[in-house]
Amino acid sequence: MTRSISVTDFRNLVATGKQIELIDVRTSVEFREVRVDFARNEPLDRLDPKKILTARNGAANEPLYVICRSGARGKQACEKLVAAGLTHVINIEGGTMACAAAGIPVVRGKKTIPLHCQVQIITGLLVTLGSILAVSFNPYWISIPILMGAGLMFSGITNTCAMGTGLARMPWNQCKDASCSA
């Protein structure tokens, strides 16, 4: 079971000045745009629990906090980390956006189109295109909007997004400069 902490409790923890280990599981481009100032980037699509466990060395009993944009990917990452044997993993409810709104110090960089918006743009484009093609040329084109709808239902039921995972690996969602690491 994944543990979580409210953004208010996390803000209070940050205010104590205690050393906090925080990994941000968003894409490197999302991380570059805005991040909690002491977070380090470990994108969900490349998350290696064994590497994290090894890197924690003597701090295995200390809490490991996980954050994403709004909480869903953070929860997935926590489940993956717990399944690999990490025991004290905590998801931050509301993610980076809630932290910024709560006054937790963040670093802001170059703005990009968020991953969830990219998914919505492509889904909308394919539904519209498939519908136009089905009405104008051949009814078999209706299969595109049907597949998009089925994909959205699957994503909602499983709290995963295959299109988002694929888009996260695209070159425009990669960052190779120093602004993407902390």
Side-chain angles (χ1 to χ4, degrees):
M1 173 152 175
T2 301
R3 294 177 47 200
S4 62
I5 186 171
S6 72
V7 72
T8 303
D9 290 342
F10 186 67
R11 181 186 63 215
N12 294 340
L13 179 64
V14 170
T16 67
K18 183 180 177 195
Q19 180 80 17
I20 299 170
E21 186 175 4
L22 175 65
I23 62 170
D24 189 321
V25 296
R26 297 172 301 149
T27 66
S28 56
V29 172
E30 289 174 298
F31 183 77
R32 178 182 60 194
E33 184 179 339
V34 61
R35 67 177 180 271
V36 173
D37 67 353
F38 55 90
R40 81 171 189 271
N41 192 222
E42 298 281 346
L44 181 60
D45 66 325
R46 294 186 302 259
L47 186 64
D48 183 354
K50 289 179 182 162
K51 178 181 147 195
I52 291 171
L53 186 59
T54 302
R56 297 196 81 208
N57 203 352
N61 294 327
E62 293 296 317
L64 173 63
Y65 294 89
V66 179
I67 194 167
C68 65
R69 182 178 191 282
S70 60
R73 283 180 279 176
K75 185 176 179 186
Q76 290 173 18
C78 286
E79 290 168 355
K80 193 173 182 179
L81 292 164
V82 167
L86 279 100
T87 56
H88 205 164
V89 182
I90 304 165
N91 187 37
I92 299 171
E93 295 173 358
T96 302
M97 306 317 282
C99 287
I104 295 171
V106 296
V107 176
R108 294 190 185 274
K110 182 179 173 187
K111 279 196 78 63
T112 59
I113 298 175
L115 197 57
H116 74 282
C117 289
Q118 292 178 45
V119 169
Q120 292 169 343
I121 291 166
I122 291 173
T123 301
L125 176 72
L126 290 172
V127 167
T128 302
L129 182 63
S131 299
I132 290 170
L133 290 171
V135 169
S136 302
F137 298 106
N138 188 320
Y140 291 117
W141 287 106
I142 198 69
S143 61
I144 294 173
I146 290 170
L147 288 172
M148 293 284 83
L152 289 172
M153 287 189 309
F154 182 80
S155 291
I157 291 167
T158 63
N159 196 25
T160 62
C161 183
M163 187 186 299
T165 301
L167 283 169
R169 295 174 187 236
M170 293 292 119
W172 59 86
N173 285 323
Q174 301 304 310
C175 185
K176 295 178 179 30
D177 62 26
S179 67
C180 293
S181 58

